[in-house]
């Protein structure tokens, strides 16, 4: 079967179904009443925060041809006419930060008034489990919750599931930050938003849409992914897995697992021990949350158009172990480009969290893993305009893929935003490798964001150097201003330098703001996590 038809969520039917469906749809549509109730997406609701200093989009559904008026208090307003498909869209003129306001939408004799509305900065926050991880599960949750009387920070959490086709509606509601509510907030998003709120003194909205254990391809629309030749093998692997799925065999396997589980539960209870987890029935891959575009369809597409200031992203753990980790940088670039195109807000600011230190501490200078390649792909994605990255070395946990120090993660994301987006002084991120040159048996490394470059240890750790045989050894390194000179007495013809190149690497470089340097390599050898 052609890959396009197998993966196209806009055509989820067989040929027979695609023939029958349009006729059924027309019959159903013809039976609908001509009048439609005025409805809004759930983001447009009490306690919402709208983007300041920009025209703000509103949309919804009402009777075709009817007039829709949107007004803030008795001031700025906008008028539009509902299209033939029942959808309308309008834009309010820009408003400064502040509130509370009331926004009234009127159409066809119906008024909807939204109360307690503020204008501030709106940030989209997405990713997998480390973005989903709540304040209640992170470090110092009791103390942090007690100090969270911050009603000008508000979170809209998308609770709708994934979908096999792009959805117009989602589920979710606004929560006002308080000691009672903050425990359910995304910790990374909250600590990011809290620092912005404290330093900018404006309301902060966090549109939170994340799901644990998910792939980057599930968060990117299919048209965007299919347009990239190098990503095609990843899509084909998903499609092949879907074709090979045997529902009968999987059901039989599940029944056997269930029998064993029942016996283990009985034994555990008799021994007064905790029972094992119940097994799960395998799911048709194309219906799963991880299948390409399914999370985008259900949890991002319905948000498209809500005016935002920018986006933050924390994902990659899942992508490090799927055999395609070498593609991650390209996949991230594709996701960012896709979302920017759909929002139609130009190249809005977009930053991501680089994977932290994890697993056993590094001993081998030749280590390469999927975790490392995903991390390096994130560095390469900084080629995108108006982008940033929070380097999180030192904030990880060797034994836990969900490190609890989310304050550092949120603060480093906010550091990027405060400097690059809001124009404050300082460096937006840790030192980032820029270029290298070789002279007299030494390799000189140049960095961006390297004012005050220094080592946190007496000796600079984490650098490895290789000659033409591509075998790395631990290197000698010294800082000279904003560059590092790397060498080894046994390597007279060096060809590559790597730094912090392991899942849980040795590292030592920081800049004057105390932010660690990103792991990097000067070569482009295709190792694919050997």
């Amino acid at each position: 079967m052609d890959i396009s038809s197998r993966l196209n969520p806009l055509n989820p039917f067989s040929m027979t179904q695609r023939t029958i469906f349009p006729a059924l749809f027309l019959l159903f549509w013809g039976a609908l009443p001509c009048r439609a109730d005025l409805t809004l997406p759930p983001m447009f609701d009490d306690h919402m925060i709208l983007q300041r200093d920009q025209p703000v989009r509103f949309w919804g559904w009402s009777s075709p041809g009817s007039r829709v008026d949107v007004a803030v208090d008795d001031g700025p307003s906008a008028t539009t006419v509902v299209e033939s498909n029942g959808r309308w869209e309008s834009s309010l003129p820009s408003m400064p930060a502040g509130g509370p306001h009331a926004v009234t939408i009127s159409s066809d004799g119906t008024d909807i008034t939204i109360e307690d509305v503020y204008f501030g900065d709106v940030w989209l926050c997405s990713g997998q489990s480390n973005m989903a991880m709540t304040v209640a599960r992170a470090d110092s949750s009791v103390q942090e919750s007690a100090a969270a009387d911050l009603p000008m920070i508000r979170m809209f959490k998308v609770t709708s599931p994934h979908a096999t086709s792009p959805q117009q509606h989602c589920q979710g509601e606004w929560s006002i930050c308080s000691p009672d509510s903050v425990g359910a907030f995304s910790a990374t998003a909250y600590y990011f938003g809290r620092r912005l709120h404290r330093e900018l003194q404006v309301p902060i909205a966090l549109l939170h849409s994340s799901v644990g254990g998910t792939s980057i391809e599930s968060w990117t629309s299919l048209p965007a992914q299919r347009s990239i030749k190098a990503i095609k093998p990843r899509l084909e692997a998903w499609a092949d897995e879907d074709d090979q799925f045997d529902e009968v065999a999987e059901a039989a396997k599940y029944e056997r697992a269930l029998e064993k589980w029942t016996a283990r539960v009985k034994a555990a209870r008799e021994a007064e021990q905790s029972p094992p987890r119940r097994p799960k029935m395998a799911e048709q891959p194309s219906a799963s949350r991880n299948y390409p575009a399914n999370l985008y369809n259900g949890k991002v597409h319905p948000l498209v158009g809500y005016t935002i200031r920018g986006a933050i992203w924390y994902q990659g753990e899942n992508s490090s172990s799927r055999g395609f980790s070498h593609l991650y940088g390209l996949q991230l670039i594709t996701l960012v480009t896709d979302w920017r195109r759909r929002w139609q807000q130009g190249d809005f600011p977009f930053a991501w969290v680089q994977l932290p230190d994890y697993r056993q501490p590094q001993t081998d200078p030749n280590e390469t893993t999927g975790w490392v390649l995903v991390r390096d792909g994130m560095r390469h994605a900084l080629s995108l305009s108006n982008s940033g990255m929070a380097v999180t070395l030192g904030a990880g946990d060797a034994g836990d893929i969900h490190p609890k120090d989310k304050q550092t993660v949120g603060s480093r994301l906010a550091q990027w935003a405060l400097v690059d987006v809001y124009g404050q002084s300082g460096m937006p991120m840790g030192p980032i490798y820029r270029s290298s040159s070789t002279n007299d048996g030494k390799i000189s490394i140049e960095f961006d964001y390297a004012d005050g470059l220094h080592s946190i240890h007496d000796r600079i750790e984490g650098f490895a150097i290789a000659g033409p045989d591509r075998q790395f050894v631990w290197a000698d390194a010294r800082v000279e201003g904003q560059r590092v000179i790397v060498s080894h007495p046994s390597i007279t013809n060096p060809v590559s330098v790597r730094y912090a190149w392991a899942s849980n690497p040795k590292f030592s470089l920081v800049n004057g703001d105390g932010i660690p340097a990103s792991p990097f390599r000067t070569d482009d050898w295709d190792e694919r996590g050997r």
Side-chain angles (χ1 to χ4, degrees):
M1 186 183 294
D2 176 68
I3 183 70
S4 299
S5 60
R6 286 192 332 216
L7 286 169
N8 188 353
L10 299 179
N11 293 287
F13 310 103
S14 67
M15 290 303 295
T16 302
Q17 289 170 317
R18 288 201 297 267
T19 303
I20 294 172
F21 183 79
L24 292 176
F25 179 79
L26 290 173
L27 286 172
F28 174 74
W29 182 258
L32 289 176
C34 295
R35 182 186 174 90
D37 292 332
L38 175 63
T39 57
L40 301 171
M43 300 85 73
F44 298 115
D45 203 354
D46 293 347
H47 316 304
M48 70 179 176
I49 294 177
L50 299 171
Q51 181 58 45
R52 62 173 171 144
D53 303 329
Q54 293 185 37
V56 173
R57 295 178 190 158
F58 276 82
W59 72 91
W61 298 267
S62 190
S63 301
S66 62
R67 169 175 160 164
V68 178
D69 296 300
V70 182
V72 179
D73 302 323
D74 296 325
S77 62
T79 299
T80 190
V81 175
V82 182
E83 298 175 1
S84 59
N85 62 4
R87 190 180 187 277
W88 58 268
E89 182 174 323
S90 188
S91 291
L92 281 173
S94 65
M95 293 276 289
H101 299 283
V103 177
T104 301
I105 299 97
S106 304
S107 177
D108 212 15
T110 301
D111 292 343
I112 295 176
T113 299
I114 305 171
E115 305 283 359
D116 189 36
V117 177
Y118 282 79
F119 285 82
D121 283 345
V122 181
W123 285 87
L124 176 63
C125 314
S126 188
Q128 61 175 107
S129 53
N130 272 305
M131 181 63 83
M133 186 174 179
T134 61
V135 171
R137 292 175 53 214
D139 276 347
S140 307
S141 61
V142 174
Q143 300 92 321
E144 294 286 12
S145 294
D149 186 12
L150 297 167
M152 290 299 99
I153 300 176
R154 301 180 180 187
M155 179 170 287
F156 181 88
K157 182 179 179 181
V158 179
T159 58
S160 49
H162 62 278
T164 56
S165 61
Q167 302 297 296
Q168 298 301 315
H169 303 268
C170 68
Q171 302 162 15
E173 61 182 4
W174 287 96
S175 296
I176 299 173
C177 182
S178 72
D180 292 332
S181 67
V182 75
F185 279 35
S186 157
T188 293
Y190 169 65
Y191 294 123
F192 165 76
R194 184 179 70 178
R195 185 174 175 192
L196 294 187
H197 174 60
R198 286 175 172 173
E199 299 202 26
L200 300 173
Q201 292 296 297
V202 299
I204 297 293
L206 305 166
L207 300 182
H208 175 213
S209 184
S210 61
V211 180
T214 52
S215 63
I216 190 169
E217 54 265 31
S218 66
W219 290 100
T220 312
S221 77
L222 271 178
Q225 294 184 80
R226 282 202 299 262
S227 69
I228 308 298
K229 182 178 179 181
I231 295 178
K232 186 178 179 181
R234 184 72 191 106
L235 301 181
E236 289 177 336
W238 273 110
D240 289 343
E241 185 178 333
D242 191 55
D243 284 347
Q244 294 164 13
F245 183 80
D246 187 332
E247 186 175 358
V248 175
E250 291 296 337
K253 186 187 300 183
Y254 172 72
E255 289 300 325
R256 292 193 297 270
L258 196 61
E259 289 178 7
K260 292 180 180 179
W261 173 79
T262 302
R264 289 171 182 167
V265 168
K266 181 180 179 181
R269 286 174 177 169
E270 290 173 351
E272 297 183 350
Q273 297 175 348
S274 298
R277 288 186 179 182
R278 184 186 181 97
K280 292 183 179 180
M281 176 70 176
E283 186 179 19
Q284 183 77 36
S286 58
S288 76
R289 66 188 183 186
N290 265 328
Y291 204 70
N294 281 1
L295 283 166
Y296 169 81
N297 291 335
K299 300 182 75 72
V300 176
H301 189 78
L303 302 175
V304 171
Y306 194 95
T307 309
I308 61 175
R309 187 66 182 87
I312 56 174
W313 173 256
Y314 194 165
Q315 189 274 340
E317 302 90 339
N318 179 278
S319 302
S320 71
S321 60
R322 288 183 167 266
F324 290 87
S325 51
H326 62 287
L327 285 177
Y328 192 85
L330 180 60
Q331 289 178 306
L332 182 56
I333 290 171
T334 303
L335 180 145
V336 174
T337 304
D338 182 34
W339 289 15
R340 284 174 168 175
R341 181 180 64 82
R342 291 176 179 280
W343 249 267
Q344 297 182 2
Q345 285 188 230
D347 289 349
F348 61 75
F350 202 119
W352 45 88
V353 179
Q354 192 180 48
L355 293 182
D357 26 356
Y358 176 51
R359 300 193 180 102
Q360 292 300 312
Q362 180 182 17
T363 57
D364 180 5
N366 291 283
E367 177 181 336
T368 294
T369 65
W371 193 270
V372 173
L373 294 177
V374 166
R375 190 188 276 151
D376 198 48
M378 292 173 164
R379 178 181 65 87
H380 279 286
L382 290 172
S383 60
L384 285 164
S385 64
N386 216 8
S387 66
M389 182 174 73
V391 181
T392 58
L393 291 182
D397 187 325
D400 192 345
I401 201 170
H402 303 115
K404 291 181 171 55
D405 179 9
K406 293 298 188 278
Q407 291 91 335
T408 296
V409 178
S411 182
R412 287 182 184 168
L413 284 168
Q415 174 77 11
W416 158 78
L418 289 167
V419 176
D420 269 7
V421 180
Y422 297 103
Q424 293 191 5
S425 61
M427 284 172 281
M429 60 190 94
I432 303 294
Y433 167 71
R434 181 201 305 159
S435 63
S436 65
S437 58
T438 303
N439 183 42
D440 194 25
K442 300 178 178 63
I443 296 183
S444 175
I445 309 295
E446 303 283 344
F447 295 90
D448 292 319
Y449 317 121
D451 288 351
L453 187 67
H454 66 281
S455 173
I456 58 176
H457 304 302
D458 293 338
R459 182 179 184 276
I460 300 176
E461 297 181 348
F463 281 92
I465 193 168
D469 63 356
R470 298 189 177 187
Q471 293 300 303
F472 286 89
V473 296
W474 295 119
D476 298 322
R478 70 176 188 274
V479 175
E480 290 187 356
Q482 296 186 18
R483 64 178 182 164
V484 174
I485 310 301
V486 185
S487 63
H488 189 277
S490 68
I491 298 179
T492 58
N493 181 24
V495 297
S496 178
V497 164
R498 292 182 176 181
Y499 170 74
W501 193 259
S503 298
N504 189 353
K506 295 182 178 182
F507 67 95
S508 56
L509 282 187
V510 298
N511 60 21
D513 285 343
I515 308 175
S518 169
F520 70 89
R521 58 176 170 171
T522 63
D523 62 82
D524 59 358
W525 303 335
D526 184 3
E527 297 184 69
R528 304 198 179 194
R530 69 179 183 190

